[in-house]
Amino acid sequence: MVASEAPKSGAVREDVVRYVRPSADDEPLDPGWRPIDPARDPVELGGGGAPYPDDLTELYWWRPTYWRRHEKPATPSGS
């Protein structure tokens, strides 16, 4: 499965598709939601161990309040 297929199936990998259920009508997508883009979004690679913010909505990478917005996107080692 490629990343572009994830929105169709709701799963990020083929082996977990069986665990994905369709969303309910009362579960709309957050406005602005999009898949993580490692070239754009500064996400931890390998679990950096930083303590989470008190407001967990700051972990939503698609929002302007994302807690790592000020950091540069990480690149995999060797890149």
Side-chain angles (χ1 to χ4, degrees):
M1 176 180 305
V2 294
S4 62
E5 294 175 356
K8 294 179 205 167
S9 69
V12 296
R13 295 187 328 258
E14 188 70 35
D15 60 319
V16 296
V17 169
R18 65 182 173 202
Y19 300 111
V20 176
R21 62 168 175 74
S23 61
D25 290 338
D26 63 347
E27 296 176 318
L29 283 179
D30 197 63
W33 184 90
R34 60 180 174 70
I36 290 177
D37 177 356
R40 175 179 176 184
D41 302 314
V43 295
E44 288 181 359
L45 298 176
Y52 286 160
D54 291 333
D55 179 359
L56 296 181
T57 64
E58 291 179 18
L59 299 173
Y60 299 173
W61 63 90
W62 63 92
R63 289 187 175 178
T65 54
Y66 179 54
W67 71 324
R68 295 182 178 273
R69 181 73 49 220
H70 64 283
E71 297 178 17
K72 292 182 180 183
T75 56
S77 59
S79 297

